[in-house]
Amino acid sequence: MKKDQSGYPKHSAKNDLVVVDQLNRSLENFDEAISFEIPHPSFFEEKIKIQRAETKRKRLRELLFFTVTAAVILSFLFFALYLQPELFLVLQVLTVVFICCYTVYVKRKVKMCHEQT
């Protein structure tokens, strides 16, 4: 190739068209090699419906479990309050002690985790 006065090779329009053609072919080959389908929006809508149904089912199960557990605990506490008030007071004190110990345990655990990182 001949060089112009600046020292750069001269470009011809023909060479530019060849390069553009080669780039286009390479990009088309790339598109064919790495092609993927985008799912139809109805696919995503169906997925959302399924996820909502599962979430609703899980929440209802958790609510039922919570309600039954709460009913059993409250029944036991009312039973203890009316039939054995001393047992009720002992349970109240043990509950407060348990909550305090658990809080201290969790704070220590969190502090140890923060110190390790």
Side-chain angles (χ1 to χ4, degrees), residues 15-27:
N15 286 341
D16 289 343
L17 291 176
V18 169
V19 170
V20 169
D21 255 356
Q22 288 174 347
L23 282 173
N24 282 334
R25 275 187 265 128
S26 295
L27 288 173

Side-chain angles (χ1 to χ4, degrees), residues 66-105:
F66 172 77
T67 304
V68 169
T69 304
V72 168
I73 290 172
L74 288 175
S75 299
F76 179 72
L77 287 176
F78 284 132
F79 179 74
L81 176 64
Y82 287 113
L83 297 181
Q84 298 176 342
E86 299 84 16
L87 178 64
F88 179 76
L89 293 175
V90 169
L91 286 174
Q92 294 300 311
V93 171
L94 288 175
T95 301
V96 170
V97 169
F98 172 76
I99 290 172
C100 292
C101 292
Y102 183 74
T103 304
V104 169
Y105 170 75

Side-chain angles (χ1 to χ4, degrees), residues 19-89:
V19 170
V20 169
D21 255 356
Q22 288 174 347
L23 282 173
N24 282 334
R25 275 187 265 128
S26 295
L27 288 173
E28 287 172 5
N29 290 339
F30 182 75
D31 285 342
E32 289 173 7
I34 303 179
S35 64
F36 57 91
E37 282 188 35
I38 298 174
H40 195 269
S42 64
F43 171 78
F44 294 112
E45 291 171 359
E46 187 65 30
K47 284 286 205 184
I48 290 171
K49 285 180 185 177
I50 292 170
Q51 187 65 33
R52 282 184 180 164
E54 288 176 6
T55 303
K56 185 177 180 181
R57 198 170 31 253
K58 285 180 183 178
R59 285 183 181 171
L60 287 175
R61 191 178 325 129
E62 288 176 2
L63 181 63
L64 178 65
F65 180 74
F66 172 77
T67 304
V68 169
T69 304
V72 168
I73 290 172
L74 288 175
S75 299
F76 179 72
L77 287 176
F78 284 132
F79 179 74
L81 176 64
Y82 287 113
L83 297 181
Q84 298 176 342
E86 299 84 16
L87 178 64
F88 179 76
L89 293 175

